[in-house]
Amino acid sequence: MRTPRASSIPAPVDTDGLLRRIVSAVGRKIDDFAHHTPSRFAVIIFTSIILLWTTIYMLPISSADGTVTPFHEALFTAVSTICVTGLSVVDMATHWSGFGHFMVFLGMQVGAIGVLTLASIMGAIVTRRLGLRQKLVAASDSNALRTHAGPVSESQAVKLGDIGGILTTVAISLVIIETCIALLIIPRLLIAGEPLWDAILDGFFWATSAFTNTGFMPTSTGIEPFATDAWMLTCLATAVFLGSLGFPVIFALTRWVKTKQRISVHVKLTLSTTVLLFVLGAVAIYFLEGDNPETIGAQNPWFRPVTAGFMSAMTRSGGFSTIDLADADPATMLAMQMLMFVGGGSASTAGGIKVTTLAILFLAAFAEAKGVNDIQAFGRRIPNDVLRLAVSVTLWGATIVAVSSISLMHFASVPFDEALFEAISAFATCGLSTGLTGDLPEQGAYILSITMWLGRVGTVTMAAALASSEHKQLFRLPEERIIVG
């Protein structure tokens, strides 16, 4: 007799267990990659989000007329949204559908969080915990020195133990500040005649656009109906100012209110420099434009300081403008370019080289003039590696602006003054424009898209991401002095 064959039916596969193992393995890979190269991880996450938004903007459902938005226009809008810039090559109020406007609103919230903070949150979601590696990634958003090899002093504004509180502050401040500003704006919109539901939606859009320092406007009329409305302008300027301070500063001030803990030098330097630049900018705009009938010269004398202060606040990276910048005095434009290039605070929704970078450069110059070896501020010594980082950020920022301006002049046939203004506005993710952006050819849209991307990612983060490896130098070369100045 022949022995019956064994059944050839395969054993059932544990698909659930296999899926869990795959997810766990992918999570470990991402966790390791984020730990060893946090800058690259941040750039990949940030760029992937921009490409995702570009794809969404190209869908027919995103446009008001149901057509496909050209790639360069969708890319420019996605970069401007995620980089919280506010520049636009299309009419933002009429081009996009309700779904498109919602994606703009959501994109501003995502972009406001910050590159490395966003990367740490994504890593924590994948690994289901906020461990040391995620904290290191998030800490790099407030201290770019962490992107390099070697020990980092914890005697700074944001310590690793504060990272959980910083991430909480990011989420809570976005909700609370935007809601408070929206509640102040909505009654004004109702008085202007908007229906209740439209006033609510537009109120939150205005508040989000202001706090994230983006500058997008929900209506086709823009800010023109409120050009002489002190209440509306004050609400928007306050939101821009708070957003430009930076989440570490908001966290430190909140902690100081609760515990009276000592305020760090970073917070003091950010606040003092921001206020000083705001006052100097307002005074400069007031006196330079006071006799210009095309801008604030035609306004009531009592309202001119309001407009000057509002425009000074917008150079922090706000992007709203109640005057036609094309009619402004060239001296005013130059002053605004300088303020835009500086921008707001570190780890904030604002762009630029940051106010603390400018402060460090001036403090170093004062120390050199007085013959003091150390850079000092508020009774503390600032290490030299911070000065080296400030110089690097400033030089790389100036290089990016120069290359962008030259490229616009060559490929888009743009005059020098307009090219420089748009390039600085894009790099500083400010959004102020002379009107050139809406008339840019396709090449110009790509140039400014790259400029906005570099400005938001950050020169230090990008440099660290491009570095193939970080080597520890075990020797020092012989010293030789050169002539400087």
Side-chain angles (χ1 to χ4, degrees):
M1 295 180 62
R2 298 176 63 182
T3 306
R5 289 186 176 183
S7 175
S8 60
I9 300 177
V13 179
D14 185 8
T15 55
D16 292 340
L18 178 61
L19 182 61
R20 284 195 297 269
R21 289 194 294 272
I22 293 176
V23 172
S24 178
V26 172
R28 287 195 299 270
K29 289 290 186 181
I30 295 177
D31 196 27
D32 292 339
F33 181 71
H35 172 64
H36 291 101
T37 55
S39 299
R40 291 181 184 178
F41 178 70
V43 171
I44 290 174
I45 291 291
F46 198 69
T47 306
S48 299
I49 293 175
I50 289 176
L51 294 178
L52 173 62
W53 251 254
T54 301
T55 304
I56 294 175
Y57 287 146
M58 292 181 66
L59 297 176
I61 192 178
S62 297
S63 62
D65 57 4
T67 60
V68 176
T69 301
F71 174 76
H72 71 281
E73 294 180 356
L75 175 65
F76 190 97
T77 305
V79 175
S80 186
T81 302
I82 303 300
C83 294
V84 291
T85 304
L87 293 175
S88 177
V89 292
V90 298
D91 189 336
M92 294 296 294
T94 60
H95 180 83
W96 304 110
S97 64
F99 175 76
H101 280 291
F102 172 75
M103 294 308 301
V104 171
F105 178 84
L106 184 61
M108 289 189 294
Q109 304 285 16
V110 172
I113 294 175
V115 183
L116 297 177
T117 301
L118 178 62
S120 68
I121 293 176
M122 295 293 292
I125 292 174
V126 173
T127 58
R128 297 181 181 180
R129 63 188 177 89
L130 184 64
L132 177 60
R133 296 182 179 184
Q134 281 74 38
K135 290 182 178 181
L136 286 171
V137 174
S140 300
D141 214 6
S142 57
N143 181 16
L145 291 173
R146 295 182 185 275
T147 60
H148 301 282
V152 176
S153 172
E154 288 301 320
S155 57
Q156 52 193 316
V158 180
K159 303 178 177 63
L160 286 181
D162 297 334
I163 297 304
I166 290 289
L167 296 181
T168 303
T169 300
V170 170
I172 294 178
S173 60
L174 279 174
V175 174
I176 293 180
I177 295 177
E178 290 179 7
T179 301
C180 291
I181 296 297
L183 292 177
L184 294 174
I185 291 176
I186 290 173
R188 180 63 189 85
L189 299 180
L190 291 173
I191 295 174
E194 288 197 24
L196 177 61
W197 183 243
D198 291 344
I200 293 174
L201 294 179
D202 289 348
F204 276 95
F205 195 100
W206 280 110
T208 298
S209 185
F211 179 69
T212 60
N213 281 212
T214 306
F216 284 141
M217 290 168 281
T219 59
S220 58
T221 55
I223 200 173
E224 183 178 354
F226 310 104
T228 56
D229 190 322
W231 177 263
M232 186 70 170
L233 299 186
T234 301
C235 291
L236 295 178
T238 301
V240 169
F241 179 82
L242 293 175
S244 68
L245 291 179
F247 294 112
V249 174
I250 296 176
F251 169 73
L253 293 177
T254 304
R255 184 176 56 184
W256 176 79
V257 171
K258 294 180 179 179
T259 64
K260 300 301 179 182
Q261 186 172 340
R262 187 186 71 86
I263 297 179
S264 66
V265 174
H266 170 78
V267 176
K268 295 178 181 179
L269 208 56
T270 299
L271 291 174
S272 58
T273 308
T274 299
V275 172
L276 177 62
L277 290 178
F278 168 77
V279 173
L280 292 178
V283 171
I285 294 173
Y286 178 80
F287 284 104
L288 292 174
E289 293 297 318
D291 58 350
N292 186 350
E294 300 297 327
T295 56
I296 69 175
Q299 296 179 350
N300 291 328
W302 71 268
F303 199 81
R304 293 175 190 172
V306 177
T307 301
F310 179 79
M311 294 306 302
S312 179
M314 293 306 107
T315 59
R316 299 274 70 75
S317 192
F320 300 115
S321 178
T322 57
I323 62 175
D324 189 347
L325 295 179
D327 296 328
D329 188 272
T332 305
M333 299 294 286
L334 179 59
M336 295 180 69
Q337 290 174 33
M338 296 168 64
L339 293 171
M340 288 192 301
F341 185 73
V342 175
S346 299
S348 70
T349 59
I353 63 172
K354 311 303 183 186
V355 293
T356 47
T357 301
L358 178 69
I360 292 299
L361 294 178
F362 271 97
L363 289 174
F366 292 152
E368 184 67 24
K370 293 188 298 183
V372 179
N373 293 329
D374 297 328
I375 304 173
Q376 301 173 358
F378 299 102
R380 291 291 188 274
R381 176 179 60 86
I382 300 174
N384 289 330
D385 56 351
V386 176
L387 173 61
R388 293 175 56 188
L389 184 61
V391 173
S392 299
V393 168
T394 304
L395 289 180
W396 278 113
T399 301
I400 292 172
V401 169
V403 172
S404 177
S405 302
I406 294 172
S407 300
L408 284 174
M409 294 171 62
H410 178 73
F411 292 104
S413 301
V414 176
F416 168 73
D417 54 343
E418 296 182 5
L420 179 62
F421 191 92
E422 301 293 323
I424 293 178
S425 182
F427 166 76
T429 66
C430 182
L432 290 175
S433 175
T434 59
L436 171 68
T437 307
D439 299 326
L440 279 177
E442 188 173 335
Q443 302 95 319
Y446 287 126
I447 292 171
L448 286 186
S449 295
I450 296 174
T451 306
M452 289 187 290
W453 182 79
L454 288 172
R456 187 58 179 166
V457 167
T459 54
V460 176
T461 302
M462 192 60 200
L466 293 176
S468 58
S469 60
E470 295 176 334
H471 301 284
K472 293 182 178 180
Q473 186 171 313
L474 303 179
F475 61 90
R476 299 185 67 182
L477 296 174
E479 181 181 283
E480 184 172 342
R481 294 186 177 274
I482 61 174
I483 300 175
V484 176

